Amino acid sequence: MADSFHISVITPKHTFFDQDARMLVVEAEDGQLGILPGHEPMVVSMIEGTLRIQLLDGSWREAAASSGFATVLPDEVDVMLQTAEWPEDIDENRAREAARIARERLRQQKSMQEYHLARTMLARAMVRLRITSRGHNN
Ligand code: ATP
């Protein structure tokens, strides 16, 4: 079986990643999911979390990812995300401020919709902060 497959990660703003790689780990609704070449076809719903890619040289890259979908085929995975950032592109102060605002909104508890928006805003900010605090490469 092939030991690599094509991974593309796109957001409404740009093509974030478009290369052959060895493995992909995404944050699915029921936990982290590792995807290897040859995987049976499926669609994965992704939540805010880390996206980890093992490159052809065996090294790993980690990114902050928001919600989205991954379409998995044996030789290709296409990931569509609202946002994605490498650690070096994350503005830590902005994420800290976003977390503060989200917590404030959660405290105010205006409506269910606002509660859910604030919760995902907080989740995005926490993922960004977690990734920057781990350093730029894993
Ligand atoms: P914030 O929560 O900071 O107000 P936002 O919720 O408006 O951000 P998103 O919708 O998560 O932002 O993302 C909008 C765009 O800004 C995306 O392109 C995303 O990659 C980028 N972005 C958001 N927060 C950061 C950050 N802390 N550092 C770098 N880029 C960011």
Side-chain angles (χ1 to χ4, degrees), residues 43-81:
V43 174
V44 183
S45 176
M46 293 166 61
I47 60 168
E48 293 75 16
T50 57
L51 177 88
R52 301 185 69 224
I53 300 172
Q54 188 180 31
L55 304 177
L56 292 179
D57 66 4
S59 66
W60 286 87
R61 287 232 68 192
E62 186 175 44
S66 64
S67 59
F69 288 94
T71 305
V72 180
L73 293 172
D75 58 353
E76 182 172 338
V77 182
D78 294 314
V79 182
M80 264 188 263
L81 297 170

Side-chain angles (χ1 to χ4, degrees), residues 11 13-14 66 82-85 89-96 98-99 121 124-125 128:
T11 75
K13 275 197 171 171
H14 65 319
S66 64
Q82 290 291 342
T83 66
E85 300 104 29
D89 298 323
I90 291 174
D91 178 338
E92 231 176 306
N93 288 332
R94 178 176 167 183
R96 229 177 265 122
M121 183 180 175
R124 282 196 303 274
R128 286 171 178 139

Side-chain angles (χ1 to χ4, degrees), residues 3 7 29 35 37 63-64 69 80 83-84 88 96 101 109 116:
D3 63 357
I7 299 176
E29 281 174 347
I35 302 162
F69 288 94
M80 264 188 263
T83 66
E88 60 270 26
R96 229 177 265 122
I101 293 168
Q109 284 201 10
H116 286 296

